[in-house]
Amino acid sequence: MSHLPRLAPFLHRLALPRLALPRLALTGVTGLALLAPAPALQPGSAQPVATQSAQLGPSYEEFPLRPSSGVLRQSPGALRQGPGTAYASAAVSRTKPFSLVGVTWPSRADSQHVEVKVRVQRNGRWSAWERLPVEDDHAPDPSAPEGVERSGTEPYWVGDANGVQVSLTTTDGRTIRDAKVALIQPGTLATDAEPPATAQAVPLAVSAAPYAMPPIVTRRGWGADERLRAYNGAACAKPKYTSTVQAAFVHHTVDRNDYTRTQVPAMVRGMYAYHVKSRGWCDLGYNFLVDRFGRAFEGRYGGMHLPVLGAHTGGYNANSFGVSMIGNYETAVPSTAALEMTARIIAWKMDANYRSPRTTLVLAGTKLLSISGHRDTTATACPGKNLYAALPWLRQRTHILMGKSVATEIYRFALRLGGFPVVGQPVWGEHATRTGRATYFGVRDIHWSVATGPHSVMGSFRTLFRKLGDSRLGLPTTEMYSVQGGKRQDFQGGSMVWHTADRKVYVQYKALS
C-alpha cells in the first residue's frame, strides 16, 4: 500500500545564507537615456564577460533602482507617460553572466500603475527594450511569512547576458522606493538536454481505472535545490495542503516563445529562484508547467497526487491547482503538443478526484468553470488571448480523455456509502497501491483490489492501517462492524479490534501457514 509521503523531517531545512550584494556602479537612466545609454554604457564600450563552461553554476544578484520623479521626455523607444510620472532606473554595464531578469518592489495593491522596461547586453551589444509584464495576481502565497512578499514583474528569460538597463515608471505619479532588479543564472546540468520524466502509470486491465498520470519531469529531474524552500523560513520548507481538488486554473508565464528544449529546465530553475528569493514566496507558484514542446514539469513541492496549496491564482488557490504554459500566449499561439499535455495533466488530476471538466462550481464566492483561465478571477491578461481562446477546446479534450472512467469501483462504492457528504472530499485522488488502488477521502480511505473488492477504513482503524500498511495485514475484506465490547474490521491477513473498555485498537494476525 502507498502511504502519504513523509513531509518531515527533511535533510536540508537550513535557510540558505542571503548573498551579499556586490558594489555596482549605478547610473541613472533618464530622458533620452532610455533610447541611448549614458556614455559609459555605449554599445561596444564595455568588454563582455567571457561565457563560462557548459557547467556554469547558479548565481543570484540583486541591486536597487534609484528613485526619481519628474517627466520622461517623449522619445522613440521610451515609455510614453503623462506629466507627473515618477520613475526609477538603473544601469550596470558589466555583471556576472545571467539568463533571467525580474524587477520587484514592496507590496502594493495598485501595481497596475507600474510599468517596467528592460534591455540587456550580449557580447557588447544592447538588445531592444522589452516591457516586462507586471503580474501581482498569483499571491499572496499562503505559506510565506508575513512581510516577506514583494510585488513584481514576471521573470523574463534573456539567454546569455552580462549587462542590464532597467526603467520603472508609475502612471499615477507615485514614487516607488526600494525597487530591485534580480539577475539569475540558473546554471546548466548534464540532464538539461533530456530531463528524466516519471514513467506513465499503466491502469489495471481488469477494471475501470482513472485516467493515467502522464509523464512529468519531477523536481529532481529539472534540478530543484530543495534547500531553497527554507530560504524564507523553516515553515516554508513544509508544504501546505488544501482540502481537495475541484478546479484547474490555466496560466502562461509571459516569457519568450523562442526558447529551446535544452533551456527549459534552467528556465524552471530560474523561475523557482525568482519566486523564492525575489518575490518572497515559499516555492514555485504553479503546481505544473508545460513547455511548447509538450513536456510537463512538476512545480510546487509536496506530491503531485496531493492537493498542494500553491500561489498561482490570488484568492482562489484553495481547492484548485495551477498549470502554466511556458511562453507568452498573448502574442503566440500555443502549440498542439502543449495543449495536449495540458489536457492530459488536467484529465489525470480531475479524474483521480472524480471531477467533471465541463461543470461550474462556486470557488471563493465566485461562480467559475472547473477549467478556467487566470483572467476569469481578476483583471489580468493571463493566460493570454490565444491560450484563453483555446480553453473551450481544452475542456472538450479533457472530457474526451477522461471518458467514462470516473465510474471506477471505488467511486461507485463511495456513492453507495452516501457520496462525498459521508466519505468526505477526495484528498489523495485514486492511485495505484501495491496490490490494487485506493482513494483517501476526508473521512474514509477506500481500498480496492481484484481479490477483495472495495472496502473503506475510517477512524482509529484508518490511522493505524496507514501506519502498518498492507504487507502482512492485507486489504480490508469487510466494513467495520459492531461486536461485543467494541468494533471489529476484517482484513486479508487478520483483524483490527477496538475495545470500548480501554478505547484502544488491537491487531490480530492470522496464523501463518
Side-chain angles (χ1 to χ4, degrees):
M1 167 185 152
S2 298
H3 295 287
L4 287 169
R6 296 182 63 187
L7 304 179
F10 292 104
L11 294 178
H12 304 289
R13 273 195 166 182
L14 298 177
L16 295 176
R18 293 183 180 272
L19 298 178
L21 298 180
R23 292 189 175 184
L24 299 174
L26 300 182
T27 303
V29 182
T30 61
L32 293 177
L34 284 172
L35 178 62
L41 300 176
Q42 289 289 346
S45 63
Q47 294 299 316
V49 177
T51 302
Q52 298 184 31
S53 68
Q55 296 301 317
L56 184 66
S59 68
Y60 176 91
E61 289 187 286
E62 194 174 63
F63 60 89
L65 274 70
R66 180 177 300 167
S68 306
S69 62
V71 181
L72 289 177
R73 284 178 281 175
Q74 305 304 309
S75 58
L79 288 171
R80 297 184 177 275
Q81 308 296 349
T85 295
Y87 60 88
S89 57
V92 182
S93 61
R94 291 187 62 175
T95 68
K96 293 180 180 179
F98 66 94
S99 296
L100 182 143
V101 60
V103 180
T104 66
W105 50 90
S107 292
R108 52 183 280 174
D110 56 347
S111 287
Q112 72 270 19
H113 294 297
V114 181
E115 294 184 342
V116 179
K117 250 191 168 184
V118 65
R119 68 177 184 171
V120 299
Q121 184 176 229
R122 301 185 189 92
N123 299 320
R125 290 188 167 278
W126 290 96
S127 68
W129 287 97
E130 296 279 356
R131 189 187 298 271
L132 298 189
V134 174
E135 185 56 82
D136 245 13
D137 297 309
H138 300 308
D141 186 332
S143 305
E146 187 176 356
V148 173
E149 293 185 325
R150 291 170 63 84
S151 298
T153 68
E154 294 282 24
Y156 190 69
W157 183 262
V158 296
D160 296 322
N162 57 11
V164 66
Q165 290 184 330
V166 179
S167 173
L168 180 152
T169 66
T170 60
T171 57
D172 60 1
R174 292 177 56 187
T175 299
I176 290 183
R177 302 187 184 281
D178 193 30
K180 298 178 181 179
V181 182
L183 306 179
I184 299 172
Q185 172 54 268
T188 58
L189 299 176
T191 55
D192 283 354
E194 203 57 51
T198 57
Q200 183 168 355
V202 179
L204 298 178
V206 295
S207 67
Y211 184 77
M213 177 183 179
I216 299 175
V217 178
T218 64
R219 291 174 64 91
R220 182 176 183 180
W222 56 258
D225 181 353
E226 300 300 357
R227 296 171 297 178
L228 190 57
R229 290 185 290 108
Y231 183 82
N232 290 313
C236 268
K238 184 176 181 179
K240 304 295 188 298
Y241 297 95
T242 185
S243 300
T244 188
V245 169
Q246 292 180 299
F249 286 107
V250 179
H251 302 258
H252 67 159
T253 62
V254 208
D255 212 318
R256 300 177 67 95
N257 298 308
D258 59 353
Y259 56 84
T260 66
R261 288 178 64 93
T262 303
Q263 289 175 330
V264 176
M267 294 175 76
V268 177
R269 291 195 298 273
M271 191 183 309
Y272 174 36
Y274 179 73
H275 283 182
V276 173
K277 290 187 173 183
S278 298
R279 298 300 300 272
W281 301 351
C282 290
D283 196 347
L284 267 169
Y286 309 112
N287 298 98
F288 301 95
L289 298 104
V290 177
D291 67 17
R292 68 190 182 98
F293 308 103
R295 298 179 301 176
F297 295 78
E298 179 184 9
R300 180 158 290 216
Y301 178 87
M304 290 184 282
H305 289 80
L306 299 174
V308 178
L309 188 61
H312 49 84
T313 310
Y316 299 85
N317 291 314
N319 297 340
S320 70
F321 64 99
V323 184
S324 189
M325 284 195 193
I326 300 174
N328 186 340
Y329 296 104
E330 185 71 18
T331 58
V333 175
S335 69
T336 301
L339 287 170
E340 177 69 13
M341 178 53 76
T342 301
R344 292 178 66 183
I345 290 173
I346 297 174
W348 161 60
K349 289 288 287 185
M350 286 197 160
D351 208 26
N353 289 277
Y354 315 119
R355 309 296 184 184
S356 169
R358 300 195 302 180
T359 191
T360 58
L361 70 156
V362 176
L363 203 64
T366 303
K367 189 175 182 180
L368 295 164
L369 293 170
S370 55
I371 300 177
S372 290
H374 189 184
R375 67 167 65 178
D376 292 320
T377 68
T378 190
T380 176
C382 183
K385 63 183 181 183
N386 295 314
L387 179 50
Y388 190 77
L391 291 189
W393 179 91
L394 193 63
R395 296 183 188 102
Q396 178 63 16
R397 179 58 180 160
T398 302
H399 175 73
I400 292 172
L401 291 173
M402 290 171 60
K404 296 182 180 180
S405 62
V406 72
T408 65
E409 292 87 346
I410 289 178
Y411 180 67
R412 290 196 297 267
F413 186 71
L415 292 181
R416 292 203 299 271
L417 292 175
F420 293 164
V422 173
V423 302
Q425 295 285 331
V427 177
W428 186 350
E430 189 161 335
H431 58 279
T433 65
R434 190 177 65 88
T435 56
R437 295 199 310 275
T439 301
Y440 288 5
F441 295 89
V443 178
R444 304 179 185 221
D445 296 349
I446 299 180
H447 297 266
W448 172 90
S449 74
V450 174
T452 63
H455 293 286
S456 68
V457 186
M458 61 185 296
S460 55
F461 285 1
R462 175 172 76 167
T463 300
L464 182 57
F465 188 57
R466 285 188 181 183
K467 292 179 180 178
L468 294 176
D470 66 350
S471 57
R472 181 176 177 186
L473 195 57
L475 295 180
T477 57
T478 69
E479 295 298 291
M480 182 174 64
Y481 58 94
S482 296
V483 295
Q484 185 175 0
K487 303 283 185 180
R488 181 186 183 97
Q489 185 165 13
D490 299 328
F491 294 78
Q492 290 171 300
S495 300
M496 285 189 185
V497 180
W498 181 77
H499 288 180
T500 305
D502 59 9
R503 306 182 69 83
K504 291 183 179 180
V505 178
Y506 297 87
V507 178
Q508 299 175 348
Y509 289 104
K510 293 180 180 178
L512 298 176
S513 56

